[in-house]
C-alpha cells in the first residue's frame, strides 16, 4: 500500500477540482478531518495496519463533492475504487475505506471501530474552540446553495442537528462532548437574542 503517494494524489486532485463555491466542504475541511482522524485514531489505539486505511478514508471522504453534493459519499467511494488499486490497495482495504466513507453520511450509522472513529473525526469541530468560524463557512455554503435563507433558520437547523448528534468513540466523548454542549448553548442564546 503506497499511502503517501495516494495522499499526494488525492490532495492535489481536491485542490484543483473541488468547486470554488464550497466554503466548508473544501480542501481545508479534508485536512482538518485527516488530523482529527489521526488524533482520535491514536487515542483509540487503532493499530498500525489499520491507521493508513483510516487516514485514506479521511482523505477521500468528501472527494465526491468534485461531482456534486448529492450522494457525494457514494461518489467518494467510486473515486476511491477507481484510484486506490493503482496505489496497491487491496479489494478488502477499499471495502473497509468505503465503509468508513459511508459512515460519514448523515445520519451517521457507523458499525466498526474504524467507522466510529472517522464519523467522530468528520464532526470533531462541533466540540472545539474554533467551532463558530468553521460553522460560518458551512452557513455560507448552505446559504449559497439555497439550503437555508437566513441566520435564524441556520441556528434552528444547528440546534436540531446538535440535539440529534452524538459522538461514538470514548475518546471523542471525553475530548469534545463538554465543549460541544457549551457551543450548543451559545447557538441557543443567539436564537433567544433574536426574538
Amino acid at each position: 500500500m503506497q499511502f503517501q503517494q495516494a495522499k499526494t494524489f488525492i490532495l492535489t486532485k481536491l485542490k484543483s477540482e473541488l468547486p470554488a463555491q464550497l466554503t466548508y466542504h473544501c480542501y481545508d475541511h479534508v485536512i482538518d478531518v485527516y488530523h482529527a482522524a489521526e488524533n482520535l485514531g491514536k487515542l483509540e489505539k487503532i493499530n498500525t495496519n489499520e491507521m493508513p486505511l483510516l487516514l485514506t478514508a479521511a482523505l477521500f471522504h468528501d472527494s465526491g463533492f468534485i461531482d456534486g453534493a448529492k450522494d457525494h459519499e457514494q461518489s467518494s467511494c467510486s473515486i476511491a475504487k477507481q484510484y486506490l488499486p493503482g496505489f496497491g490497495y487491496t479489494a478488502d482495504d477499499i471495502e473497509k475505506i468505503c465503509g468508513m466513507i459511508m459512515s460519514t453520511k448523515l445520519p451517521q450509522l457507523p458499525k466498526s471501530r474504524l467507522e466510529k472513529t472517522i464519523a467522530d473525526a468528520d464532526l470533531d469541530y462541533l466540540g472545539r474552540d474554533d467551532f463558530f468560524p468553521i460553522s460560518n463557512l458551512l452557513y455560507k455554503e448552505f446559504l449559497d446553495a439555497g439550503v437555508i435563507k437566513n441566520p435564524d433558520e441556520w441556528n434552528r437547523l444547528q440546534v436540531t442537528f446538535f440535539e440529534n448528534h452524538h459522538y461514538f468513540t470514548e475518546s471523542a466523548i471525553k475530548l469534545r462532548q463538554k465543549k460541544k454542549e457549551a457551543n450548543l448553548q451559545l447557538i441557543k442564546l443567539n436564537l433567544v437574542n433574536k426574538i
Side-chain angles (χ1 to χ4, degrees):
M1 185 191 309
Q2 301 162 298
F3 170 71
Q4 287 303 332
Q5 290 91 326
K7 179 182 177 183
T8 301
F9 165 79
I10 194 61
L11 288 178
T12 303
K13 187 173 178 64
L14 292 171
K15 207 168 222 177
S16 63
E17 295 181 36
L18 277 173
Q21 74 269 21
L22 296 177
T23 51
Y24 173 82
H25 292 101
C26 60
Y27 180 86
D28 290 342
H29 168 69
V30 173
I31 296 297
D32 185 57
V33 173
Y34 176 87
H35 289 302
E38 190 173 39
N39 184 40
L40 287 175
K42 286 175 187 166
L43 294 170
E44 287 293 306
K45 296 180 176 41
I46 300 295
N47 70 45
T48 52
N49 294 329
E50 291 185 316
M51 188 63 108
L53 300 179
L54 174 67
L55 296 179
T56 301
L59 291 166
F60 276 79
H61 86 284
D62 276 345
S63 58
F65 272 96
I66 288 168
D67 300 320
K70 188 173 163 38
D71 299 323
H72 69 270
E73 296 90 356
Q74 202 59 56
S75 299
S76 298
C77 282
S78 298
I79 291 169
K81 287 175 183 172
Q82 182 181 352
Y83 293 107
L84 289 176
F87 296 102
Y89 286 73
T90 66
D92 186 50
D93 293 337
I94 294 166
E95 192 180 326
K96 284 181 186 166
I97 288 164
C98 283
M100 284 184 268
I101 290 170
M102 293 310 294
S103 75
T104 65
K105 186 180 174 78
L106 300 174
Q108 295 178 320
L109 299 166
K111 294 173 190 74
S112 71
R113 228 161 62 93
L114 287 172
E115 289 176 8
K116 289 174 182 176
T117 304
I118 195 168
D120 286 351
D122 192 28
L123 296 173
D124 185 65
Y125 82 103
L126 297 180
R128 292 192 329 224
D129 291 335
D130 61 353
F131 166 73
F132 285 98
I134 292 173
S135 167
N136 287 338
L137 297 173
L138 186 57
Y139 167 69
K140 185 178 178 342
E141 186 174 305
F142 276 15
L143 201 61
D144 291 347
V147 176
I148 50 158
K149 293 178 187 72
N150 56 54
D152 283 351
E153 204 176 313
W154 169 242
N155 285 325
R156 279 193 287 278
L157 183 69
Q158 292 226 94
V159 168
T160 304
F161 183 75
F162 265 71
E163 289 177 344
N164 288 299
H165 169 266
H166 64 273
Y167 287 116
F168 298 94
T169 62
E170 278 182 40
S171 302
I173 293 164
K174 220 179 282 183
L175 203 60
R176 303 294 181 216
Q177 187 62 35
K178 199 172 175 187
K179 184 65 181 175
K180 184 191 144 189
E181 288 165 11
N183 286 336
L184 173 58
Q185 293 315 310
L186 289 170
I187 296 166
K188 287 181 171 178
L189 207 58
N190 281 340
L191 273 173
V192 171
N193 290 336
K194 295 269 172 18
I195 295 169

